[in-house]
Amino acid sequence: MRKQYRAEGLTEADLAATPVEQFARWFKEAAIEGRLFEPNAMVVATADAEGRPSARTVLLKHFDEQGFVFYTNYDSRKARELAENPFVSLLFPWHPMARQVIVTGVAWRTGRDETAAYFRSRPHGSQLGAWASAQSSVIADRTGLDAAYAELAARYPEGEQVPVPPNWGGFRVAPEAVEFWQGRENRLHDRLRYVAEPDGSWRVERLSP
């Protein structure tokens, strides 16, 4: 179960001026050239106030120079941990291309207007699902969940606007460091990391594989 990675690598001269610009390049390549299934899938790692970690896969919904945005129930485990400890890590595992992107930074809630705009862009069933599920809570069985969804579907039929749940919204991860990892032959991978400077610029450093 070992594969020799690609010969071509990643050099400092290849990099864009900012990590978000570089991410946009790689994201486009993953989506179009690599044809990866859900290239916006990322592992979100959080930790509680005592430092006990947890991780899960979440879909990236937006990114810009201000950060990387995902949405969740604010009563979920990830959201509760972020309330206690806002430091977070995101990992994009683009294995078929022998690439990874690792973002470390601080997560902040998105504004309600931004949250509402995204919520209304979701499929009708996903809107209902956000109401039906008390995410991360223990439930007796599937029956209650399905019944809650059916009740909501009757209350808000297709075509009728579903209100935004008050305990549901987004997090924007403002990056403090972003590493671009390119697999290379003989496990001598290229690892280039942008690190935020106090003046808002970015320093690039190479890490040993």
Side-chain angles (χ1 to χ4, degrees):
M1 298 178 69
R2 178 174 292 272
K3 182 178 180 180
Q4 188 73 289
Y5 293 142
R6 59 205 292 172
E8 64 271 22
L10 180 66
T11 70
E12 288 80 351
D14 296 328
L15 295 178
T18 71
V20 173
E21 289 178 41
Q22 181 62 33
F23 180 84
R25 288 181 187 176
W26 271 23
F27 186 82
K28 182 178 180 181
E29 291 176 11
I32 298 176
E33 297 173 23
R35 299 180 181 178
L36 300 190
F37 175 72
E38 292 189 332
N40 60 325
M42 59 184 182
V43 177
V44 177
T46 57
D48 63 18
E50 284 71 48
R52 292 171 294 195
S54 63
R56 74 289 293 159
T57 302
V58 174
L59 296 179
L60 175 72
K61 291 302 180 181
H62 176 71
F63 67 91
D64 55 27
E65 292 294 338
Q66 281 67 55
F68 300 81
V69 179
F70 66 92
Y71 291 85
T72 188
N73 187 309
Y74 285 145
D75 294 324
S76 66
R77 178 175 179 176
K78 72 178 87 59
R80 286 186 279 109
E81 290 184 351
L82 288 172
E84 297 175 351
N85 177 1
F87 295 102
V88 61
S89 179
L90 313 176
L91 168 65
F92 295 85
W94 296 330
H95 301 309
M97 302 181 74
R99 286 179 175 176
Q100 300 180 73
V101 179
I102 304 165
V103 179
T104 53
V106 179
W108 306 101
R109 289 190 180 190
T110 58
R112 293 308 292 175
D113 288 346
E114 183 177 357
T115 290
Y118 170 70
F119 185 81
R120 295 190 181 108
S121 75
R122 303 181 91 204
H124 183 72
S126 296
Q127 294 180 21
L128 298 178
W131 278 99
S133 173
Q135 194 175 95
S136 299
S137 64
V138 177
I139 58 177
D141 52 38
R142 175 83 190 195
T143 304
L145 182 64
D146 290 337
Y149 183 90
E151 181 181 337
L152 287 159
R155 188 187 313 170
Y156 302 106
E158 188 78 42
E160 185 169 332
Q161 187 176 74
V162 180
V164 183
N167 63 334
W168 187 94
F171 281 101
R172 173 173 281 102
V173 178
E176 296 180 338
V178 184
E179 178 185 335
F180 292 85
W181 184 102
Q182 175 65 70
R184 296 290 305 276
E185 291 180 331
N186 304 313
R187 296 302 186 261
L188 296 178
H189 314 307
D190 286 323
R191 300 176 60 190
L192 297 181
R193 180 171 63 187
Y194 293 80
V195 179
E197 298 281 34
D199 64 358
S201 64
W202 295 93
R203 179 180 79 254
V204 175
E205 53 192 20
R206 177 175 285 270
L207 305 178
S208 176

